[in-house]
Amino acid sequence: MTITVDQMKNAMKINDWVSLQESFDKINKQLEKVMRVTESDGVPNLYIKCLVMLEDFLAEALANKEAKRKMSSSNHKALNSMKQKLKKNNKQYEELIIKYREKPESEEEEKFEDEETDESGSEFEDPSQIAESSDEENREEELEDDVADGSWEKKLSKKDKLMDREFKKDPSEITWDTVNKKFKEVVAARGRKGTGKFEQVEQLTFLTKVAKTPAQKLEILFSVISAQFDVNPGLNGHMPINVWKKCVQNMLVILDILVQYPNIVVDDMIEPDENETQKGADYNGTIHVWGNLVAFLERIDNEFFKSLQCIDPHAREYVERLRDEPMFLVLAQNVQEYLERVGDLKSAAKVALRRVELIYYKPQEVYDSMRKLAELSEAADGEQDGDEPKVEESRGTSAFVVTPELVSRKPAFPDNSRALMHILVSLIYKNGDDRTKARALLCDIYHHALFDEFSVARDLLLMSHLQDNIQHMDVSTQILFNRAMAQVGLCAFRVGLIVEGHGCLSELYSGGRVKELLAQGVSQSRYHEKTPEQERAERRRQMPYHMHINLELLEAVHLICAMLLEVPNMAANNLDAKHKVISKTFRRLLEVSKRQTFTGPPENVRDHVMAATRALGKGDFLKAFDVISSLDVWKLLRNRENVLEMLRAKIKEEALRTYLFTYCSSYGTLSLDQLTKMFDLSDAQTHSIVSKMMIHEELHASWDQPTRCIIFHEVEHSRLQALAFQLTEKLSVLAESNERAVEARIGGGGLDLPLRRLDNQEYAAGTAAVGGRWQDFSFTQGRQGSSGRSGYSVGGRPQALGAGYSQDRSGQSRGTGGYSGRTGSGMRGSLMDASVRMVSLNRGVRG
């Protein structure tokens, strides 16, 4: 402000009213900022001095008519504008301007003396009238050594002295009406311009000490917490951490009161009487107090979540903030126990969900660390309490209503996180609403997958049918669904189920927006620009860093699964231009890799997998495994050795299959002993793999048992047979198209089309319905011939990654899952049965 005043003085010297007008607007904005930061109602003396200076200069300029005529048009216009603005603005500060004109030098001293000697004519004074600067002066003298008794005595600031002066009467003279009147005054000032947020919290906190009844103290505590929520600087910021901790402590005090006085009922649906809180502790009837424990708890949890979003995850402050997690779990545990005790099980289920969402993503090792941290914190608090007696009120008037600590201040953690999850989700499944149950189920699936319990996680997903309506849920639940599917895919890979793992992860990678789908980053697209509001909303949905799923590990698992499925598939269908593609994402990366003129050493995950793919295509399983095992992401797995051993076995198996597909035409016979030596497999394993290929008609050969050799059969179709096959295929397509047209006209759904054609027709209809817009990718896993390794497809789905599971009438598992960036569905919903839109996870794995 001082710089702005100097600029105004320079503009006065050259009679520049345009600059004066700009500086005047600037100093008014600066005044608002100063008032907001200092939380003071008093106007700075510098501003009043500036108004007086402007007023005098304006009067001189208006009196000098000759200079006024010589002004430019812009300067004259600015002069008239300043005349109106200054007149309107100075009406608010008339008394201060007159006071300054009378005693311009002693204004500051007089203001200070008024604060010291002012005697209140009314019963109460407003503590916010005291300048904030006095707090800094008194802060230096807060503690003094009492020589007489050798103890510490805490001095009060002027603000606290004023509040004490208001209630310095004998406790018997302070009535409920007195406190209630002051309480209503403070609450009425909430949200008004110029009301200090921290100041209001301090006033309400003081009123909790002088509350006359437990119900009145409870009512004021609810207002204290609401005022603490107002301290949040904005929608994108978070509540200050020290205020958040005080808020948690206030919630625990509320629970202490509710446990001590069971006749007090908290409810936000009933408007209590004005004198309801006047009923004392000896009142036997029910006392109703307005409040909502669950809403306050959810807001505290949201502020904790936002603070983790905003804090730099690589700073020590982030780790320190994570240490506050047991504090919230204590509060949630106590609130849930209270709600169960009073019979409000639906609200208890909501609180249980908040506890589940803090537990579900933690491996057992992290859970154990959190439990030990809580125990160490408890032990440290116990030692501190043993050394120094605990004082409930540190300064000012001692509380009239003393509240003992009745609820537990330490969380109860079972030894196993799975046991805690089971208790919490069982409560939610019985008493929660639909959204609460859905989120709890997804958290449960995620947690089972984290413990490598793939079959349990798969069965929960199959029985819930969440994939059918996940696109109709809120965005945060869709993100949780995507996270659960990603973790299920990782789990399937860890236990050796390559087909199932690829089916779960391929949908995430089909659109190229993995970060956005998992809320682990904001993706940028050259074809779609987001508005600032959309970007802010997306950033508010981001997951905190410690909850992230490692994207490099996810990409490595997805590409390795695709490699193990696609390399034999490409070798088997090398001459067939129309063969099915299992993973389009993998195929695109492989084509880009093949087009490179020079292939250097692998650097990232994709380069490693492409190098392994080239080696596996030649049957060199040792080189393929060495390249894959050199990735750094394997150190993120608990059972690294077991996973690499499983991967080595899978690579050898697929290398054998690829070798047979590629070179079967070059052999007449091939010895079993030769294959076992080439691929380091046992006789039983090699015999089993080759026999399955023969059974599935992938390999046209037979065993010669006496010589332990494979005899290959050359199967070449004649020209007439090839044309007959083509004609049969075209007639089949034509017949099914006619049946589909009849079904669309009559609205029937009873036409039993073959499974493969039905799927193809649905996706063709889906892409046609989009009308030339962004096309959804569709792909199905399959072996050459009728190997039965199929079951994952992708169709159109609005706004979310979805997957579904069921069986059709023929008993074969089938289905689709889908993801689309459009809000409208490209599928012909009227022609689709729910059982058609599902993904099968219960395919068996080749032995």
Side-chain angles (χ1 to χ4, degrees), residues 121-173:
S122 63
E123 188 177 0
F124 301 109
E125 296 177 15
D126 187 2
S128 62
Q129 296 294 332
I130 301 175
E132 289 290 331
S133 59
S134 63
D135 287 346
E136 297 178 1
E137 297 171 5
N138 290 315
R139 204 168 287 132
E140 299 174 358
E141 303 175 355
E142 276 186 346
L143 297 176
E144 273 189 1
D145 190 16
D146 192 347
V147 182
D149 55 2
S151 62
W152 291 91
E153 179 182 341
K154 197 164 188 178
K155 286 200 170 185
L156 302 180
S157 64
K158 292 180 181 179
K159 179 169 48 181
D160 295 321
K161 286 179 180 177
L162 181 56
M163 291 296 289
D164 281 345
R165 190 167 73 238
E166 292 177 1
F167 295 98
K168 67 182 179 181
K169 310 171 185 178
D170 186 73
S172 59
E173 297 179 8

Side-chain angles (χ1 to χ4, degrees), residues 172-230:
S172 59
E173 297 179 8
I174 298 178
T175 62
W176 177 88
D177 292 326
T178 304
V179 179
N180 190 52
K181 181 180 178 183
K182 183 61 181 176
F183 170 63
K184 288 185 177 179
E185 286 180 9
V186 176
V187 172
R190 180 185 174 191
R192 290 182 182 174
K193 187 177 179 181
T195 302
K197 295 177 181 178
F198 286 99
E199 192 71 28
Q200 192 174 44
V201 172
E202 289 290 332
Q203 294 175 27
L204 290 170
T205 304
F206 184 87
L207 287 177
T208 60
K209 302 175 186 177
V210 296
K212 296 298 292 181
T213 64
Q216 189 177 40
K217 183 175 183 178
L218 189 65
E219 183 182 28
I220 297 173
L221 276 171
F222 277 122
S223 296
V224 170
I225 295 174
S226 298
Q228 286 170 332
F229 287 149
D230 291 342

Side-chain angles (χ1 to χ4, degrees), residues 63 140 157 161-162 176 187 211 227 272 276 313 319 322 396 471 478 593 647 717 738 846:
E140 299 174 358
S157 64
K161 286 179 180 177
L162 181 56
W176 177 88
V187 172
E276 186 77 9
V319 179
L322 280 177
Q471 68 271 16
Q478 293 179 18
S593 176
L647 197 55
H717 299 296
N738 289 338
R846 273 190 326 275

Side-chain angles (χ1 to χ4, degrees), residues 731-742:
L731 287 174
S732 176
V733 173
L734 179 62
E736 290 168 12
S737 299
N738 289 338
E739 291 173 348
R740 177 76 58 183
V742 172

Side-chain angles (χ1 to χ4, degrees), residues 437-453:
K437 289 179 182 178
R439 290 188 67 85
L441 181 64
L442 290 171
C443 292
D444 202 19
I445 291 169
Y446 189 105
H447 198 259
H448 278 294
L450 208 59
F451 282 73
D452 291 344
E453 298 173 358

Side-chain angles (χ1 to χ4, degrees), residues 216-271:
Q216 189 177 40
K217 183 175 183 178
L218 189 65
E219 183 182 28
I220 297 173
L221 276 171
F222 277 122
S223 296
V224 170
I225 295 174
S226 298
Q228 286 170 332
F229 287 149
D230 291 342
V231 175
N232 189 355
L235 194 60
N236 295 321
H238 63 90
M239 183 189 295
I241 296 175
N242 59 334
V243 179
W244 184 88
K245 291 180 178 178
K246 290 179 182 177
C247 195
V248 172
Q249 295 301 325
N250 287 331
M251 283 289 290
L252 291 172
V253 174
I254 286 175
L255 291 171
D256 288 332
I257 296 174
L258 292 174
V259 171
Q260 187 178 3
Y261 303 98
N263 60 326
I264 299 179
V265 177
V266 175
D267 193 0
D268 62 342
M269 302 301 292
I270 301 174
E271 189 68 28

Side-chain angles (χ1 to χ4, degrees), residues 225-451:
I225 295 174
S226 298
Q228 286 170 332
F229 287 149
D230 291 342
V231 175
N232 189 355
L235 194 60
N236 295 321
H238 63 90
M239 183 189 295
I241 296 175
N242 59 334
V243 179
W244 184 88
K245 291 180 178 178
K246 290 179 182 177
C247 195
V248 172
Q249 295 301 325
N250 287 331
M251 283 289 290
L252 291 172
V253 174
I254 286 175
L255 291 171
D256 288 332
I257 296 174
L258 292 174
V259 171
Q260 187 178 3
Y261 303 98
N263 60 326
I264 299 179
V265 177
V266 175
D267 193 0
D268 62 342
M269 302 301 292
I270 301 174
E271 189 68 28
D273 297 335
E274 290 185 5
N275 299 329
E276 186 77 9
T277 58
Q278 193 171 3
K279 300 169 183 176
D282 54 349
Y283 184 76
N284 295 326
T286 302
I287 303 174
H288 292 280
V289 177
W290 186 92
N292 191 328
L293 291 173
V294 178
F296 282 0
L297 180 83
E298 290 177 342
R299 177 67 186 274
I300 291 172
D301 185 28
N302 292 339
E303 293 295 337
F304 179 73
F305 188 85
K306 286 166 63 178
S307 67
L308 291 172
Q309 285 178 318
C310 298
I311 298 173
D312 180 13
H314 305 291
R316 181 171 179 78
E317 186 184 359
Y318 190 87
V319 179
E320 293 296 331
R321 185 56 173 150
L322 280 177
R323 289 175 175 268
D324 296 331
E325 198 172 59
M327 184 185 299
F328 174 77
L329 288 172
V330 170
L331 176 61
Q333 174 186 324
N334 289 323
V335 171
Q336 181 182 336
E337 289 175 357
Y338 171 76
L339 292 172
E340 290 177 0
R341 192 160 51 246
V342 299
D344 191 358
L345 296 179
K346 187 174 182 180
S347 298
K350 291 183 180 179
V351 178
L353 177 64
R354 293 290 173 162
R355 296 177 65 189
V356 165
E357 290 179 351
L358 286 177
I359 300 294
Y360 80 96
Y361 59 88
K362 289 181 172 65
Q364 185 61 38
E365 295 82 0
V366 178
Y367 176 82
D368 292 338
S369 300
M370 183 180 69
R371 187 160 55 88
K372 290 176 182 177
L373 172 65
E375 292 173 358
L376 291 174
S377 301
E378 176 193 348
D381 292 342
E383 291 177 5
Q384 186 176 1
D385 293 346
D387 296 340
E388 299 178 5
K390 187 173 181 181
V391 181
E392 183 182 359
E393 302 294 343
S394 58
R395 64 182 185 180
T397 309
S398 59
F400 293 168
V401 179
V402 180
T403 306
E405 292 186 359
L406 297 178
V407 298
S408 175
R409 260 53 174 184
K410 61 177 181 178
F413 288 124
D415 293 339
N416 191 352
S417 61
R418 186 63 245 159
L420 179 59
M421 284 288 293
H422 178 72
I423 294 170
L424 295 175
V425 298
S426 298
L427 173 67
I428 295 171
Y429 293 156
K430 290 179 182 177
N431 306 293
D433 54 19
D434 291 341
R435 181 182 181 275
T436 305
K437 289 179 182 178
R439 290 188 67 85
L441 181 64
L442 290 171
C443 292
D444 202 19
I445 291 169
Y446 189 105
H447 198 259
H448 278 294
L450 208 59
F451 282 73

